[in-house]
Structures are given as structure tokens and as C-alpha cells.
Amino acid sequence: MTQIDFLEKRKLFIELTKNRATGTPKELAAKLNIQERVLYRLLDSLKTDGLEFRYCRTTKSYCLEENEKSHSSIQ
């Protein structure tokens, strides 16, 4: 996967998260057309950029973790 592909997948992941439509990690990996282990690398790269996500079992979706660090990175 090229760097551009990876950035596109990050963008799509954030969009799906905003809509609370990621599904389970396995489903999300399929939506992004990546392996599940690549999904976890993607999450690590977002964390490095100051965005933290958590998986909500109730909504079966990832969501942005609300904390000061996340707010400063988004604005």
C-alpha cells in the first residue's frame, strides 16, 4: 500500500467514525480493504497525530476519544 493509499484510508476511517458507522474491527478492515493488523497500524498513526479512538461495543463502532489532546489536534 502506498503512502497516498494509507492517507486515504485514514481519511475514510475518520469519516466513518464521525458517522459511527465503522462496524467491528473485522468489518472495518473489510470496508477499508485492508487486513485487520493494518487497521491497528492506522489507529497507531492517528494516535501519534494526537487523535485517539476507542471501540464502543454498544454502537459497534469506533468513536473519537474525548480529551484535551484530541480537541487541540482537531481545531
Side-chain angles (χ1 to χ4, degrees), residues 17-18 20 50-55 62-72 74-75:
T17 301
K18 287 178 183 178
R20 294 190 179 242
L51 298 173
E52 297 211 25
F53 296 87
R54 66 177 174 80
Y55 181 75
Y62 281 92
C63 58
L64 184 63
E65 188 70 36
E66 297 295 327
N67 62 39
E68 290 180 32
K69 187 176 181 182
S70 293
H71 286 296
S72 63
I74 293 172
Q75 297 174 355

Side-chain angles (χ1 to χ4, degrees), residues 5-47:
D5 291 337
F6 190 75
L7 294 173
E8 288 293 321
K9 306 239 186 245
R10 281 175 45 132
K11 183 179 175 182
L12 180 56
F13 170 77
I14 292 170
E15 288 176 27
L16 289 169
T17 301
K18 287 178 183 178
N19 295 325
R20 294 190 179 242
T22 65
T24 65
K26 186 175 184 174
E27 293 169 337
L28 177 57
K31 286 179 184 179
L32 297 175
N33 198 29
I34 58 176
Q35 295 177 354
E36 210 170 327
R37 64 186 170 137
V38 176
L39 171 64
Y40 295 115
R41 281 191 230 145
L42 185 142
L43 288 168
D44 285 341
S45 78
L46 290 164
K47 186 176 182 179

